[in-house]
Amino acid sequence: MGLLQWEKRYSVGIEAVDHEHRELVDLINRLHEKATTQGSKVSVLGFFGDLYKAISAHFALEERFMREKGYDQLSQHKNDHERLLDEVRDIMEDYEVNDLFDEKLLAQRLDAWFSRHFESHDARLHRALGDH
């Protein structure tokens, strides 16, 4: 069983966006598997890097779309994106420096973010502006 499971509450109701979000959940679960099965430090850091790049790319596309459409909540949405990226970077740096992987902390942070961000910011964005 993976670290996170896709739940209906994460859905924004737009299949293409939900698909991309499911891919992020899958990448998080692959990172978790690698880190908890004694994967090499290099491979675990590689997965962290892949996760960070995938999340960053997803956020950049969302933010571009919000700017193009004049979305009134861009600043708040972008701030939430930056907060998650900071948290992922902090977890990655802790692992790199200390060889520590706190799966409970990662699960707690990501589940809280997915739940809150998907249900509030992403759902509102896609209701207001539609698919991108």
Side-chain angles (χ1 to χ4, degrees):
M1 182 169 180
L3 183 65
L4 293 177
Q5 299 300 313
W6 179 260
E7 298 179 26
K8 186 173 183 134
R9 64 187 174 131
Y10 296 151
S11 178
V12 298
I14 298 168
E15 185 54 38
V17 175
D18 288 342
H19 176 76
E20 195 166 287
H21 287 163
R22 279 188 211 95
E23 287 179 343
L24 292 174
V25 168
D26 182 57
L27 191 56
I28 289 165
N29 286 332
R30 288 176 32 222
L31 165 65
H32 174 257
E33 180 182 339
K34 182 61 81 176
T36 57
T37 59
Q38 304 303 320
S40 74
K41 186 172 189 171
V42 170
S43 66
V44 172
L45 287 172
F47 270 91
F48 267 119
D50 290 346
L51 175 62
Y52 190 86
K53 285 188 277 187
I55 292 172
S56 294
H58 174 69
F59 289 170
L61 288 172
E62 270 192 359
E63 291 165 13
R64 187 186 78 198
F65 179 69
M66 288 185 276
R67 278 190 301 278
E68 289 172 356
K69 299 293 186 175
Y71 184 56
D72 67 340
Q73 297 289 309
L74 171 62
S75 178
Q76 295 90 329
H77 202 126
K78 185 174 173 38
N79 287 341
D80 207 48
H81 286 169
E82 290 172 7
R83 183 186 58 76
L84 176 69
L85 288 171
D86 286 344
E87 288 184 7
V88 171
R89 194 172 34 254
D90 289 346
I91 294 167
M92 184 169 44
E93 288 171 0
D94 286 345
Y95 179 82
E96 186 172 18
V97 172
N98 303 312
D99 290 333
L100 296 176
F101 182 75
D102 187 337
E103 65 183 280
K104 289 181 183 178
L105 178 61
L106 181 65
Q108 178 186 18
R109 284 178 169 176
L110 292 175
D111 185 52
W113 179 82
F114 269 64
S115 299
R116 186 173 40 79
H117 186 82
F118 285 178
E119 291 173 345
S120 60
H121 292 285
D122 280 357
R124 183 182 187 284
L125 170 66
H126 297 295
R127 276 194 311 272
L129 302 178
D131 198 359
H132 57 276

